Amino acid sequence: MKSTSSSKKPFTHKKGAPAKNKTFGSAQTGGNRPPVNKKKFAPKKSIVDPAPQKEVVDMFMSWFRKHKTVGQVMTKQDVVRNILVNLNAKQEDALADAMKELKSEGFIEIQEDGVTLVLTQMGVDYLK
């Protein structure tokens, strides 16, 4: 019978060199090779999804559609009750942009508090 523990030789690589313990993911290189210089790229610019912003705009316009009179005021409480509680995370991020879009289109005016909205004549005409 052969003795298994005394007759085994350690595993070797390339012409008798002993096996090296390699650490995966480390910056170390084996042997005489220089470290590989990896080129770093700038992160890709993410394209902003317009869908959440459009959904928020639609929420505001559906509320104003129910109350379509010039000068109709959407108070902070109305915004909280009818808009904010129904938003998901992406829509929350798009809320300010949606309000700016409605203002730039001329459909609403934003009061000094930044939350109270007033429907304009152009907004009423758009809703008809």
Side-chain angles (χ1 to χ4, degrees), residues 13 15 32 41 47 71-72 81 84-85 99 107 114-115 119:
H13 283 281
K15 298 182 183 179
N32 296 328
F41 294 102
I47 299 172
Q72 178 64 44
R81 267 189 251 132
L84 292 180
V85 295
M99 290 174 65
F107 298 150
V115 180
L119 188 63

Side-chain angles (χ1 to χ4, degrees), residues 44-74:
K44 293 181 179 179
K45 292 182 180 178
S46 62
I47 299 172
V48 177
D49 186 13
Q53 182 175 337
K54 184 179 179 333
E55 292 166 355
V56 175
V57 167
D58 291 342
M59 286 181 189
F60 279 112
M61 294 311 283
S62 68
W63 187 90
F64 280 119
R65 194 170 285 117
K66 294 175 189 174
H67 309 88
K68 52 178 150 172
T69 57
V70 177
Q72 178 64 44
V73 176
M74 184 178 206

